[in-house]
Amino acid sequence: MYGANVGVLLQVLWAQLLLGWARASELTFELPDNAKQCFYEEITIGTKCTLEFQVVTGGHYDVDCRLEDPEGTVLYKEMKKQYDSFTFTAAKNGSYKFCFSNEFSTFTHKTVYFDFQVGEDPPLFPSENRVTALTQMESACVSIHEALKSVIDYQTHFRLREAQGRSRAEDLNTRVAFWSIGEAVILLIVSIGQVVLLRSFFSDRKTTTTRVGS
Amino acid sequence: MEAVRTMKLCGLSVLLLNVFFSLTSALYFHIGETEKKCFIEEIPDETMVIGNYRTQLYDKQREEYMPATPGLGMFVEVKDPDDKVIMSRQYGSEGRFTFTSHTPGEHQICLHSNSSKFALFAGGMLRVHLDIQVGEHATNYAEIAAKDKLTELQLRVRQLMEQVDQIQKEQDYQRYREERFRQTSESTNQRVLWWSIVQTLILVVIGFWQMKHLKSFFEAKKLV
């Protein structure tokens, strides 16, 4: 009885050990102009990883991205990309580095979203003590879970694209407001200035003619 | 009795290991002494966000990052979409912060170290391991299973329910954002319309005024 409990406990601990190596990190951060931001992650050999990034706001909505393995070999390098997804299997143990660079931009800040998935998602419950295959209900649950995960993923990307569109619209709104006021002011100044200038032409000629006459 | 005790032991060990692993294998980045790093989380309302961080200071003598430094702390500041600070606390070199959003929108989570002694950093950088989990990812299923004593199928259904909940909240948030977008576009449309009418009026009035003024000017100068 006691031995069986310890056995179960050990299995749970082992499952948790595996769970520790499967992570998904998604972050949104602001990248100032002429700046580079690097992130690192410790990955074990043989793990399948996915890096996905999208530029949310700023300038032409593009950023440079670079992914290096522990020895410095460049696995992925793209310049001025708006959105991309890169999957790779870790060939070495160690600390992988990926960087986003906005060094080509002079004055636009960029907001970048990235999602770095390491390994597969851990199972909900340890299935080591399972002798039979999943029941129909359980396999249906698993497939629904996978479908919902992709729904959430699509929602995230849709939300980011909507944020992009909305920030462009808000920019346009403020620009139209400033431009219309500025243009009205310029118009008034220019038209009054024209009249004043024209008057000054005729006043000068009048004085010269009178002087010549006398 | 025996089964209950086993379950409790399992639950506790699972919880401990979860906490242990959430702090060791996370994404990390380097931060300068006075640098403030901010992350944006765009979330619907009533969503829980859990963040775990761990800091490591660079030891110049051993030329590696030390596991833990006592006395080194991090300020964590969370701002809501209206730029109001909803959380501003200082934690030690390792910390865990939680907050729940009450307004939908962009929340900003900012971290900076509380170190004022420049010598402590010794020209190096501070390594910060960070892990932020939002909404459904923040729930700890092992803990729920142990607490409510759920079978595997019940736990799976619970997970599906949480996921659908999150999807629904995100959809509501999307509707709210679309409304804001529509308002902005309609305001732009109105502004362009008004501006074109006003500009035409200004042009016409100015034209009339110019001609009238010049005519009276030339008549006074006896040129017309």
Side-chain angles (χ1 to χ4, degrees), chain B residues 29 31 37 48-49 58 66 107 124 137 142 148 174 179 186 189 194 196 204 210 217:
Chain B
F29 54 93
I31 187 171
K37 269 282 183 289
M48 187 163 75
V49 175
Y58 189 67
M66 299 192 291
H107 290 71
H137 298 290
D148 295 337
Q174 205 57 20
E179 194 181 314
E186 277 176 7
N189 194 20
W194 271 116
S196 51
V204 166
Q210 275 185 330
F217 176 66

Side-chain angles (χ1 to χ4, degrees), chain B residues 47-216:
Chain B
T47 308
M48 187 163 75
V49 175
I50 296 178
N52 289 300
Y53 77 88
R54 187 168 72 96
T55 54
Q56 279 182 312
L57 193 59
Y58 189 67
D59 187 354
K60 233 160 90 165
Q61 289 154 333
R62 277 185 283 171
E63 283 190 1
E64 61 170 14
Y65 282 86
M66 299 192 291
T69 314
L72 186 70
M74 294 286 278
F75 263 116
V76 177
E77 198 181 57
V78 179
K79 282 199 200 150
D80 75 350
D82 305 316
D83 258 341
K84 200 175 64 167
V85 177
I86 56 175
M87 191 178 91
S88 175
R89 282 182 61 179
Q90 189 183 339
Y91 296 87
S93 68
E94 262 181 52
R96 181 191 170 95
F97 55 91
T98 309
F99 70 92
T100 307
S101 61
H102 297 293
T103 30
E106 277 187 11
H107 290 71
Q108 226 185 23
I109 302 166
C110 289
L111 297 158
H112 66 275
S113 73
N114 71 336
S115 165
S116 52
K117 306 181 285 257
F118 286 91
L120 198 67
F121 273 60
M125 302 284 258
L126 188 70
R127 181 180 283 186
V128 181
H129 297 252
L130 183 67
D131 178 40
I132 299 178
Q133 300 291 338
V134 173
E136 189 260 331
H137 298 290
T139 43
N140 190 339
Y141 290 107
E143 194 185 326
I144 293 175
K147 192 168 67 121
D148 295 337
K149 297 180 193 32
L150 302 172
T151 66
E152 187 168 345
L153 194 62
Q154 285 174 329
L155 192 68
R156 279 191 200 277
V157 170
R158 178 72 71 92
Q159 187 188 40
L160 292 176
M161 272 167 51
E162 297 257 351
Q163 274 188 306
V164 168
D165 221 7
Q166 187 182 349
I167 290 172
Q168 213 174 1
K169 272 198 224 156
E170 184 85 27
Q171 294 249 355
D172 280 336
Y173 178 50
Q174 205 57 20
R175 203 159 12 131
Y176 157 81
R177 283 167 59 123
E178 192 270 338
E179 194 181 314
R180 263 186 62 191
F181 193 165
R182 204 162 18 95
Q183 278 173 351
T184 309
S185 300
E186 277 176 7
S187 149
T188 308
N189 194 20
Q190 279 233 318
R191 279 183 195 182
V192 167
L193 181 70
W194 271 116
W195 172 71
S196 51
I197 289 173
V198 165
Q199 177 122 140
T200 314
L201 272 171
I202 289 177
L203 270 172
V204 166
V205 164
I206 290 280
F208 268 131
W209 173 79
Q210 275 185 330
M211 290 303 115
K212 218 169 73 151
H213 187 86
L214 284 173
K215 184 159 178 226
S216 62

Side-chain angles (χ1 to χ4, degrees), chain A residues 121 140-150, chain B residues 136 159-160 163:
Chain A
D121 268 348
C141 282
V142 166
S143 56
I144 294 175
H145 176 64
E146 294 297 318
L148 289 179
K149 261 207 303 199
S150 75
Chain B
E136 189 260 331
Q159 187 188 40
L160 292 176
Q163 274 188 306

